Amino acid sequence: MSECTHDCSSCSESCAERQSSPEDFLVKLSAGSSVKKTIGIVSGKGGVGKSMVTSLLACASMREGFKTAILDGDITGPSIPKAFGVHENLVGNIDGLILPGTTACGIDMVSVNLMLANETDPVIWRGPVLGGVIKQFWGETLWQNIDYMFIDMPPGTGDVPLTIFQSIPLDGIVIVASPQELVGMIVEKAANMARMMQIPILGLVENMSYVECPDCGKKISVFGESHIDEIAAQYDVPVLAKLPIDPELAAACDAGKIEFVEKNYMKDAMEILKQI
């Protein structure tokens, strides 16, 4: 049989490449694991607050009474454990499965930072190894009775986001952006990748949308006027939240106490996600 050229018009319908489907790449959960809804948090570029949004969505889910989990898929830049103040190394059970760490309020999580000898050690791995870790986090962890799992994905459209899209049965993605005009193009890259992979876009979150004056309450657009509503209309998806620049929230992340921030910025977002 000749080598596949990926041009399906040149070969028969019996070709293995033509017979494969997206389901063929999915990794199964381990025995005893159950995850009802899986949501990826994505962005076309770094530094827009994906990890913050992931953490806030998980906290909102937990407050609604759902059993919640976070899979930290940003292998080379993991920050989820620090936001929740989780530092203990992950362990395994007698069946060789990873047991997730647990936050103070009961959110399960896995992150490569919970597997390193020192939290500041760099992760210098190539793409195939990073993809393998993602598959292990999903398929070789004991996820018990999870209602909502939020996956903090690395920025861009490279190897690891592709692995997550192909290996994990996502119910949809949330795209995170910031107000700058340039981000409109960045959002389009993430949205177009999701559409190519046939993953639903559940909505957009704008981070660093404004800062609120502590004296008069006026909202100041530090990074310029927002374009998130226009972008959302373009893709016919809702705006799930517009997050302010909040020093209290930043301090809580630094202290590992994001669960104890009283402001529930993602309450409305969770109402939409519950309709999945």
Side-chain angles (χ1 to χ4, degrees), residues 34 44 50 60 67 100 139 160 167 180 188 220 226:
S34 171
K50 264 185 314 72
K67 179 62 176 175
V160 178
S167 302
Q180 292 98 320
E188 289 186 33
I220 303 168
S226 171

Side-chain angles (χ1 to χ4, degrees), residues 173-175 201-206 228-229 231-242 268-269 271-273 275:
I173 63 165
V174 172
I175 300 177
I201 302 170
L202 304 177
L204 308 182
V205 172
E206 183 174 71
I228 197 73
D229 293 305
I231 298 170
Q234 177 182 342
Y235 289 97
D236 193 26
V237 296
V239 176
L240 300 177
K242 295 181 180 180
D268 293 340
E271 291 303 315
I272 293 176
L273 297 185
Q275 299 174 21

Side-chain angles (χ1 to χ4, degrees), residues 29 33-39 65-69 138 143-149 169-172 276:
L29 285 170
S33 290
S34 171
V35 179
K36 294 179 182 177
K37 299 295 180 183
T38 310
I39 299 168
F66 295 112
K67 179 62 176 175
T68 305
W138 170 256
W143 298 111
Q144 293 185 296
N145 303 314
I146 303 299
D147 294 310
Y148 284 91
M149 174 183 284
L170 294 173
D171 291 284
I276 300 174

